[in-house]
Amino acid sequence: NVPRPVRGLRFAADHDLAGLVGAAVLLAGSEVGSLTSVGRSAVLGPVALAPLARSVEEGATVAVVSPAGEWDATVVAIPMR
């Protein structure tokens, strides 16, 4: 029983990913996880991995919040396609 399964995040727009590891992931204003890794896919653009609360469904739009700003992302299954 995994309390927070790892999910993929696809960002809505192209962003500089520097310093985003550890950023909070929010759904409806509540923290549901944090980024554990980030990267840039040649096909998908900026992506990330995060263990998220079980209540977060694939397709949900979440906010990734760090001291550098806030970005929208969509929760996707892994492997990302």
Side-chain angles (χ1 to χ4, degrees):
N1 189 8
V2 178
R4 288 185 177 231
V6 175
R7 306 274 181 75
L9 296 177
R10 290 183 62 183
F11 288 90
D14 197 18
H15 298 293
D16 180 8
L17 302 173
L20 283 186
V21 171
V25 179
L26 307 179
L27 179 63
S30 296
E31 188 169 338
V32 292
S34 62
L35 298 186
T36 56
S37 63
V38 296
R40 184 169 309 280
S41 163
V43 175
L44 303 175
V47 295
L49 295 176
L52 299 176
R54 288 176 155 284
S55 60
V56 180
E57 297 183 10
E58 288 176 22
T61 299
V62 295
V64 175
V65 181
S66 79
E70 182 174 325
W71 301 271
D72 289 336
T74 302
V75 177
V76 296
I78 50 177
M80 291 183 239
R81 299 188 175 159

